[in-house]
Amino acid sequence: EFAEAAAAELSNDKYTIEIVSSAPPLEDGVNEQITMFESYLESGVDGVLIVPCGTAEVVDTIKKANEKDVPVICLDTNADEGAEVAAFIGTNNYDGGYLAGEWTVKNVSGQVAIITGTLGTQVGDVQPCNGDQGPAMGITENLLTAYPDLRCIYVTSDTGAMGAATAVQAAGRDVKVIGFDGSPDGAQSILDGGMTATVAQTPGIMAEEGVKA
């Protein structure tokens, strides 16, 4: 919506900006995303905005875009070095995580578990759900069994957090669930009594700025 609004604002009698979008079904859909990316390049697009599923894996395809003089702008997550990215537009994920930690310290007394989107540098028992509700539910069920005194679960995506919240509700446990993204579905989950809180990002504004760039 934000990207389309920016495209409409920038379009004029000389040129028209058309937005075409697609996304893999899961956050770790690296191969699917690369296939989509390469398909867009073959179709002759004039520019690409991408939130890389794999920061290293996407580099070779960005190189192909460089060879075609097609600018690539990364949103939210930047690609690894090795290819030319025209711009990176994103929020500060570290600050977002810090906000989640601050909220937890003020509102939770007891054990806290973390479920990540994808597995990066691992410190302690951190488990990835790949941004999918199903795996997040399964991980949460195991956590609830292993840690009877668990009081809070922080999930680095709202989609995963909704799965965790479903498992918590099914178990009848009083465990707070914090998500990350501030998505409409996440907000609705909070209103419905599922998730407890979420850290809001601004994906629409990132997309809007990407189009303007």
Side-chain angles (χ1 to χ4, degrees):
E1 179 182 346
F2 285 83
E4 290 175 353
E9 178 184 340
L10 293 171
S11 296
N12 54 43
D13 294 337
K14 293 183 179 180
Y15 59 83
T16 300
I17 299 176
E18 179 184 0
I19 302 294
V20 180
S21 63
S22 59
L26 298 176
E27 287 185 5
D28 66 340
V30 175
N31 293 332
E32 294 93 334
Q33 185 182 58
I34 288 175
T35 298
M36 294 172 185
F37 191 169
E38 293 183 345
S39 176
Y40 284 138
L41 293 178
E42 290 300 321
S43 71
V45 296
D46 297 305
V48 175
L49 306 180
I50 186 169
V51 182
C53 292
T55 58
E57 293 85 349
V58 76
V59 170
D60 285 343
T61 309
I62 295 177
K63 287 181 179 178
K64 294 179 182 179
N66 295 160
E67 293 169 359
K68 292 175 176 288
D69 292 324
V70 175
V72 177
I73 297 175
C74 289
L75 306 178
D76 186 47
T77 303
N78 205 359
D80 288 356
E81 295 182 0
E84 182 180 348
V85 174
F88 166 63
I89 300 170
T91 54
N92 192 313
N93 288 335
Y94 177 88
D95 286 349
Y98 190 89
L99 286 173
E102 278 191 323
W103 187 93
T104 302
V105 168
K106 292 177 182 178
N107 295 278
V108 177
S109 177
Q111 295 177 330
V112 179
I114 298 175
I115 301 175
T116 64
T118 56
L119 189 58
T121 302
Q122 200 168 346
V123 180
D125 186 15
V126 178
Q127 301 184 57
C129 69
N130 298 321
D132 190 2
Q133 289 192 40
M137 285 179 61
I139 291 170
T140 301
E141 290 167 354
N142 293 335
L143 288 169
L144 295 173
T145 300
Y147 301 100
D149 295 326
L150 187 64
R151 293 292 177 264
C152 180
I153 300 173
Y154 170 51
V155 191
T156 59
S157 71
D158 280 351
T159 304
M162 288 186 285
T166 299
V168 168
Q169 290 178 315
R173 294 277 294 275
D174 183 17
V175 176
K176 299 183 186 303
V177 177
I178 307 171
F180 194 100
D181 284 336
S183 66
D185 287 342
Q188 188 61 52
S189 175
I190 294 172
L191 293 174
D192 293 340
M195 289 165 52
T196 311
T198 183
V199 178
Q201 287 188 302
T202 54
I205 293 176
M206 284 188 275
E208 177 183 1
E209 293 301 319
V211 172
K212 290 180 177 180

